Amino acid sequence: MIVCKFGGSSVAEAQQIKKVKKIVDSDPRRQVIIVSAPGKRSKDDEKVTDMLYACNAMVQQELSCKDLFKKISLRYTTILSDLGLQTKPFLPVLEEVRQMIDAGHGAEYAASRGEYLAARMVATYFGWEFLDTDPLIVINHDGTVNPETWDNLKKALKPNVKYVVPGFYGCDPEGKVKTFSRGGSDITGAILASATKAETYENWTDVSGVFSVDPRLIPDAKVIKEMTYREVRELAGVGAGVFHEEAIAPILASGIPINVKNTNAPSDDGTMILPTREIGDHPLVGISGKGGFSRLSLRKLMLFKRTGIRHALLTMLHIFGVRPSFSLFGVDSMVWFFETTQASDSVLDAMCSRLKGEFDLEEVSIDHGHAIVGIIGSGVMQHSSVIATSTNALAHDKIGLNFFNYGSSDTSILIGVSDIQAQEAVKSLYKALF
Ligand code: ASP
C-alpha cells in the first residue's frame, strides 16, 4: 500500500483536487491520503491556516471572527461547487467550526480546522472514508508522538477501506485538540505510513522534489534524486522547505522510502528519501541557509570546572523561553545560537543579568543578525577537500565567518555568517562545491 500526503497547494482549489484524484486513481495501491488545509492559489493569496490563526487572534481580543470566517467558508464552498458537490450539507459544519472558534477554543483548535474541513471535503469528493486524527494521534506536550497512537490507529484502520485523513493535528494526552508545528501534515503522513506499514510514503507538493539549493537563489538548481533520512533532516534543519524535519522520526524504525513528488508534474521522478544511499561520486546533496538567529556568548575563567554548569545554564535559558539550536564551546567560554523570535530584548536583558549574577560570569553578551549555512551530505567527512574549497570560496567572496563546525555530525558542515551575507554565502558555496 502507498500512503500519500498532499500539501496545501494540491488542495488549494478544485482544479488541483481533480489532479489529486487522477493521481490517486492511477495506482490502486494508493489507499490512504493525508491532506493539508487549502494553501495559496497565487502569490498574493492567503493560506486557510493563516486565516484561522487570525480568527483566533480576533477572538483573543474579544471580537467575533464572523466576518473573517466568511472568507474561509467561501474558500471551501467555492471548491465544493467547482467540484460539482453540494454546498448545503457543508454549511452547518462550517458554522459549527466558526462557533467553536468564537467560543474561545484556542489557536490550535482553530488552526486544525483547516485540515479537518479539507479532509471531509476531499473524502466526500472521492467517496472514501474520513478518518479523524483526534483522538487517534496523541501528541505529547513537547510535540513528540505519544506511543498510544500506534495502538489507536491499529484498531481504527480497517483492511481494504480507503481513507482520507486530515494532517497537522491530533490531541494532547488530556484529549484536547493539538497541532504539530507549522507544515506538520508531513508528520501525520509519516505516522499513517508507519501505522499501515506502507511500501512507500509519497509526499506530494508543488515542486518536483527536494532541491540541492533554493532555486530562487540559483535558478538552475537541480532536484536531488536520492538522499538519506539524515540528509533531509539536516537540510531541513538549516532552512530548506519541502519536507518537515520532524517527519522522519515516525518512520525511522520501519525504513519506509519517502518519495517527494509534484502534483502538477506527476510523471517527474521526484526525490527518493531512503535510510541509506550509495555515496559514489555524490558526497554532498545540498546547501541551505537559515537566518534570524541571535548569539549568546558567556565567558568565565575555569567555566567548566563546576560540574553540571552547562545543564544549569541551559535550565536558566529555558526559564526565559530560550532554546538554543547550535552551540560552541571554548576553554573558558560558551556560545549558543537561538532563534531571535524566542524572546524580546527586555526578556533577554533580564536573562543576561540573572546569568551574570547567578553564575558569576565575567562576560555575558547577546547580539543579533546571525545565520547558519549548512553543507549537507553523507560523504562530507570522507572528502577533506570540501573544507578547503568552502573556506576558499567564502574568503574569495569576502564573506566573514563567525564559526565553522565540522565533525559534530557526519552529514553536515555548519557555518555561521551574518544574516545579510547568508544568501551570498549559499550561492558562493554552491558554485564552488557543486
Ligand atoms: N496547514 C498547516 C500549515 O500551514 C500544516 C501543513 O500545511 O502541513 O502549517
Side-chain angles (χ1 to χ4, degrees):
M1 185 218 296
I2 298 173
V3 166
C4 307
K5 177 255 165 175
F6 290 91
S9 56
S10 306
V11 292
E13 50 195 332
Q15 165 204 338
Q16 291 299 97
I17 297 176
K18 285 179 186 165
K19 288 184 195 168
V20 170
K21 177 129 179 28
K22 223 167 148 190
I23 290 165
V24 170
D25 286 347
S26 70
D27 190 334
R29 291 173 303 168
R30 296 186 173 123
Q31 288 174 12
V32 173
I33 75 162
I34 293 88
V35 292
S36 285
K40 293 184 181 189
R41 292 160 292 188
S42 63
K43 233 174 123 221
D44 312 313
D45 198 14
E46 278 177 288
K47 288 185 177 187
V48 164
T49 307
D50 291 333
M51 292 197 272
L52 286 161
Y53 278 122
C55 283
N56 177 65
M58 290 187 75
V59 175
Q60 296 307 310
Q61 291 167 32
E62 289 173 20
L63 299 166
S64 168
C65 70
K66 220 168 181 168
D67 283 341
L68 183 52
F69 197 82
K70 278 189 190 141
K71 271 169 82 180
I72 297 172
S73 294
L74 188 64
R75 286 290 302 264
Y76 288 99
T77 51
T78 307
I79 298 175
L80 285 163
S81 46
D82 288 351
L83 288 173
L85 297 170
Q86 281 189 348
T87 54
K88 214 166 156 212
F90 222 70
L91 299 179
V93 184
L94 287 161
E95 177 55 16
E96 192 195 329
V97 167
R98 201 274 304 158
Q99 281 177 14
M100 293 284 279
I101 298 174
D102 262 338
H105 282 262
E108 301 200 46
Y109 171 81
S112 73
R113 295 305 90 181
E115 272 70 10
Y116 169 80
L117 294 166
R120 286 197 56 168
M121 182 173 71
V122 173
T124 310
Y125 181 56
F126 280 27
W128 289 18
E129 191 105 347
F130 164 75
L131 182 74
D132 202 351
T133 43
D134 165 28
L136 301 177
I137 295 184
V138 183
I139 307 172
N140 293 325
H141 293 289
D142 64 2
T144 54
V145 181
N146 187 298
E148 260 180 52
T149 302
W150 307 115
D151 239 16
N152 294 346
L153 286 172
K154 210 166 153 191
K155 283 185 198 135
L157 290 159
K158 297 179 204 81
N160 304 320
V161 177
K162 295 181 170 188
Y163 293 102
V164 180
V165 182
F168 190 38
Y169 70 90
C171 65
D172 68 14
E174 288 76 45
K176 198 167 160 239
V177 171
K178 180 162 175 62
T179 55
F180 289 112
S181 53
R182 294 298 304 264
S185 301
D186 286 351
I187 309 173
T188 312
I191 293 170
L192 265 300
S194 183
T196 56
K197 299 194 170 56
E199 61 194 270
T200 308
Y201 168 27
E202 288 179 347
N203 193 282
W204 292 83
T205 171
D206 55 0
V207 285
S208 290
V210 181
F211 283 91
S212 50
V213 67
D214 187 340
R216 286 168 300 187
L217 296 180
I218 307 271
D220 67 345
K222 304 261 176 323
V223 165
I224 304 166
K225 284 197 164 53
E226 229 180 67
M227 65 195 303
T228 66
Y229 288 171
R230 196 174 297 170
E231 285 170 335
V232 81
R233 271 188 58 71
E234 297 246 15
L235 202 59
V238 283
V242 187
F243 195 70
H244 199 298
E245 57 170 327
E246 289 168 42
I248 294 297
I251 52 169
L252 191 64
S254 48
I256 297 166
I258 304 163
N259 192 187
V260 178
K261 284 182 72 79
N262 188 350
T263 302
N264 304 319
S267 53
D268 287 359
D269 291 336
T271 300
M272 286 304 299
I273 306 171
L274 306 160
T276 55
R277 69 173 176 95
E278 281 302 326
I279 293 174
D281 297 333
H282 300 285
L284 306 177
V285 291
I287 295 189
S288 183
K290 189 175 178 184
F293 286 99
S294 296
R295 173 172 62 182
L296 168 67
S297 315
L298 313 175
R299 174 173 293 282
K300 178 182 160 76
L301 199 69
M302 317 275 273
L303 183 63
F304 296 110
K305 276 286 168 199
R306 233 176 89 185
T307 39
I309 191 151
R310 274 180 232 197
H311 185 81
L313 283 162
L314 272 176
T315 305
M316 178 70 80
L317 263 52
H318 286 184
I319 290 170
F320 286 90
V322 170
R323 289 169 194 279
S325 313
F326 303 98
S327 48
L328 302 167
F329 301 107
V331 178
D332 291 325
S333 59
M334 269 187 235
V335 171
W336 273 302
F337 288 88
F338 60 92
E339 286 172 22
T340 307
T341 50
Q342 288 178 344
S344 64
D345 279 343
S346 55
V347 169
L348 293 177
D349 283 346
M351 182 180 81
C352 286
S353 34
R354 269 293 283 282
L355 285 169
K356 196 161 186 183
E358 213 139 304
F359 295 92
D360 195 21
L361 302 171
E362 283 157 28
E363 203 184 298
V364 187
S365 63
I366 290 183
D367 64 322
H368 306 298
H370 291 275
I372 315 283
V373 174
I375 301 169
I376 313 298
S378 304
V380 84
M381 300 291 278
Q382 290 154 31
H383 291 250
S384 49
S385 62
V386 175
I387 297 182
T389 311
S390 9
T391 47
N392 283 338
L394 294 172
H396 176 268
D397 291 332
K398 300 195 170 41
I399 295 164
L401 305 191
N402 293 321
F403 74 84
F404 194 92
N405 182 341
Y406 175 78
S408 61
S409 154
D410 61 5
T411 311
S412 67
I413 295 176
L414 299 179
I415 299 171
V417 296
S418 75
D419 243 345
I420 40 174
Q421 288 197 304
Q423 294 195 347
E424 280 314 307
V426 170
K427 283 197 232 172
S428 165
L429 291 167
Y430 187 79
K431 283 186 191 141
L433 292 166
F434 281 78

